[in-house]
Amino acid sequence: MAKNGVRAAKAAATRARMLAAARSLFVARGYTATTMRSIADEAGVAVQTMYFTFATKRAVLSELLDAEVAGDTAPVATLERPWVAEALAAPPTELIELLVTGTARIHARVVPVLEVVRSAAAVDPDIAGLWRTNIAQRHTVLTVFAGALAAKAALRANPARAAETMLATLAPECYHLLVHERGWSRDDWERWAADSLVRQLLVD
């Protein structure tokens, strides 16, 4: 591997270590109580490295959230992911089931981090903006799914209302409540969410 390749690989590994440290501390302590220095100490890097790489704590949380949603650091939008293409091409009921399964995979990773964002949003305007952006991104994705569903089947509501119904049913807050607080398994949540959306959206 050339020197540039070695340097890039080392930088990527360090960045990943810092994000992992940030995730651990944000989830354990909350956003406000976590400092850039504490993340640096947890990651085993100088605090200057944290600031050079991310500049601000908000930027750390924002990048961590993006990585947790995606499941990797590849610059590929959700709507361009293979599982989304597979779901959008499926028949109506299967489309809903694949959407729910894909959402469950994302929630299993991201919900603890989203709880950090949601809690901090109440007291930090910058993080409130991050929370609103996340909701808007989810709504954009679900609007595409609602449009695809409307093109394949008769719906009980117009596509805009269908997207909002998906947004509420598949909300990370709902997943957190049922899985993390009430003890449902991920499979339990998937069955409930898929059945709920089929009943609410598709005409018999």
Side-chain angles (χ1 to χ4, degrees), residues 29-52:
R29 301 179 183 178
Y31 178 77
T32 302
T34 299
T35 64
M36 292 287 270
R37 180 170 293 280
S38 66
I39 298 170
D41 290 345
E42 181 78 8
V45 301
V47 69
Q48 291 90 342
T49 302
M50 285 295 305
Y51 282 106
F52 177 79

Side-chain angles (χ1 to χ4, degrees), residues 85-152:
E86 180 187 0
L88 292 174
T93 299
E94 186 181 353
L95 181 153
I96 291 172
E97 291 169 349
L98 290 172
L99 168 62
V100 169
T101 298
T103 301
R105 282 198 301 267
I106 293 171
H107 283 351
R109 295 188 300 266
V110 79
V111 158
V113 176
L114 275 174
E115 281 296 298
V116 172
V117 176
R118 187 172 67 87
S119 297
V123 295
D124 188 317
D126 282 344
I127 305 304
L130 189 60
W131 176 247
R132 288 192 298 271
T133 296
N134 179 265
I135 294 173
Q137 289 170 338
R138 282 186 268 131
H139 183 255
T140 295
V141 170
L142 294 173
T143 296
V144 173
F145 272 92
L149 197 60
K152 298 170 186 284

Side-chain angles (χ1 to χ4, degrees), residues 3 5 16 19 39-40 57 81 83 89 94 113 121 124 139 144 153 156-157 161 164-165 167-168 183 188:
K3 283 186 178 180
L19 288 174
I39 298 170
K57 186 170 67 168
R81 297 273 167 170
W83 76 266
E94 186 181 353
V113 176
D124 188 317
H139 183 255
V144 173
R156 294 181 179 276
R161 180 58 61 89
E164 290 168 351
T165 300
L167 185 68
D188 288 338

Side-chain angles (χ1 to χ4, degrees), residues 154-186:
L155 301 185
R156 294 181 179 276
N158 62 46
R161 180 58 61 89
E164 290 168 351
T165 300
M166 292 176 179
L167 185 68
T169 304
L170 302 179
E173 305 97 302
C174 182
Y175 182 94
H176 176 76
L177 172 65
L178 295 177
V179 174
H180 294 175
E181 298 290 340
R182 304 308 305 167
W184 286 28
S185 70
R186 180 168 141 185

